[in-house]
């Protein structure tokens, strides 16, 4: 369990490196959490700072998910032995989830981060790239029909475990469980968006 705990924390610390804050600092100390929706994610970066700023933010935030799911689980750490009792599959899922949690509640930035969607997509680059196509298709359709980025993100995240449940169970049960947990987490992180949509804002 030591290996699981240490690697979970490493992924969390990597997830806590906020793309918006890094790019903002390089751009002269811009903090987009004081602008627009107040969210430190790609959508608010695009609305307040433009395409190139937002692109850099998204690249960093997606990259954190790739590292959390694809690099950290396989690290050979000094003083931390490989635990044969820990499933490599579940270790990968836990590290992937930790990167997303770090993005939402970053320890370096007062636990005030983004909403997790970009980093979640980054984890899927490692776990199952084909699922990104499913999510992007759903996201694009909902965005065009509704005009709400938040609604599109929540719907796309929810569509993922539904798709997995139809096409891959019972073989990919760990990935299905990961998808369900992440969908619930992303919906929770968008609760302010849900409130604004209900108020017609």
């Amino acid at each position: 369990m030591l290996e699981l705990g240490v690697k979970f924390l490493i992924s969390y610390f990597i997830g806590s490196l906020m793309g918006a804050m890094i790019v903002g600092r390089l751009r002269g100390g811009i903090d987009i959490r004081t602008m627009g929706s107040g969210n430190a994610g790609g959508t608010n970066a695009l609305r307040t700072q433009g395409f190139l700023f937002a692109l850099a933010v998204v690249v960093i935030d997606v990259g954190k998910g790739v590292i959390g799911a694809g690099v950290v689980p396989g690290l050979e750490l000094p003083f931390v032995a490989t635990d044969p009792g820990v499933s490599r599959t579940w270790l990968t899922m836990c590290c992937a989830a930790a990167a997303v949690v770090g993005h939402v509640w970053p320890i370096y930035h007062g636990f005030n981060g983004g909403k997790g969607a970009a980093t979640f997509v980054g984890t899927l680059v490692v776990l199952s790239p084909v699922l990104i196509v499913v999510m992007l298709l759903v996201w694009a359709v909902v965005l065009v029909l509704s005009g709400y980025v938040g609604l599109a993100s929540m719907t796309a995240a929810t569509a993922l475990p539904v798709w997995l449940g139809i096409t891959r169970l019972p073989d990919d049960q760990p990935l299905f469980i990961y998808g369900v947990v992440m969908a619930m987490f992303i919906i929770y992180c968008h609760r302010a968006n849900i409130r604004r949509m209900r108020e017609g804002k």
Side-chain angles (χ1 to χ4, degrees):
M1 294 301 290
L2 178 61
E3 181 192 16
L4 175 60
V6 170
K7 290 184 176 179
F8 183 93
L9 286 175
I10 291 173
S11 290
Y12 168 76
F13 291 140
I14 292 171
S16 292
L17 296 168
M18 298 300 299
M21 304 304 291
I22 294 171
V23 178
R25 184 165 295 180
L26 294 174
R27 286 281 300 272
I30 296 170
D31 186 351
I32 67 169
R33 295 177 302 175
T34 64
M35 308 172 187
S37 67
N39 180 253
T43 301
N44 196 37
L46 178 63
R47 289 170 177 162
T48 62
Q49 301 300 318
F51 176 76
L52 292 179
F53 188 105
L55 178 61
V57 170
V58 170
V59 168
I60 293 172
D61 290 346
V62 169
K64 296 185 304 187
V66 174
I67 294 171
V71 177
V72 176
L75 290 177
E76 294 186 7
L77 303 173
F79 312 113
V80 179
T82 300
D83 188 344
V86 175
S87 162
R88 297 298 99 181
T89 299
W90 284 110
L91 174 63
T92 299
M93 299 297 173
C94 287
C95 289
V100 179
V101 171
H103 177 78
V104 175
W105 294 311
I107 192 171
Y108 311 123
H109 305 293
F111 302 100
N112 181 18
K115 295 179 180 175
T119 305
F120 176 46
V121 169
T123 67
L124 294 178
V125 171
V126 176
L127 300 177
S128 183
V130 69
L131 296 178
I132 298 174
V133 177
V134 176
M135 287 189 65
L136 287 178
L137 286 174
V138 173
W139 184 86
V141 169
V142 175
L143 179 63
V144 169
L145 293 177
S146 71
Y148 290 113
V149 175
L151 180 60
S153 298
M154 288 185 285
T155 306
T158 304
L160 178 63
V162 173
W163 174 264
L164 286 169
I166 294 171
T167 62
R168 296 200 185 180
L169 284 181
D171 295 335
D172 282 343
Q173 187 179 51
L175 185 58
F176 171 74
I177 293 173
Y178 175 74
V180 170
V181 172
M182 285 294 100
M184 294 172 63
F185 185 62
I186 287 174
I187 291 172
Y188 171 78
C189 294
H190 282 81
R191 60 195 183 281
N193 298 67
I194 295 172
R195 182 174 61 252
R196 288 195 296 271
M197 284 187 288
R198 291 180 63 182
E199 295 171 351
K201 298 178 182 180

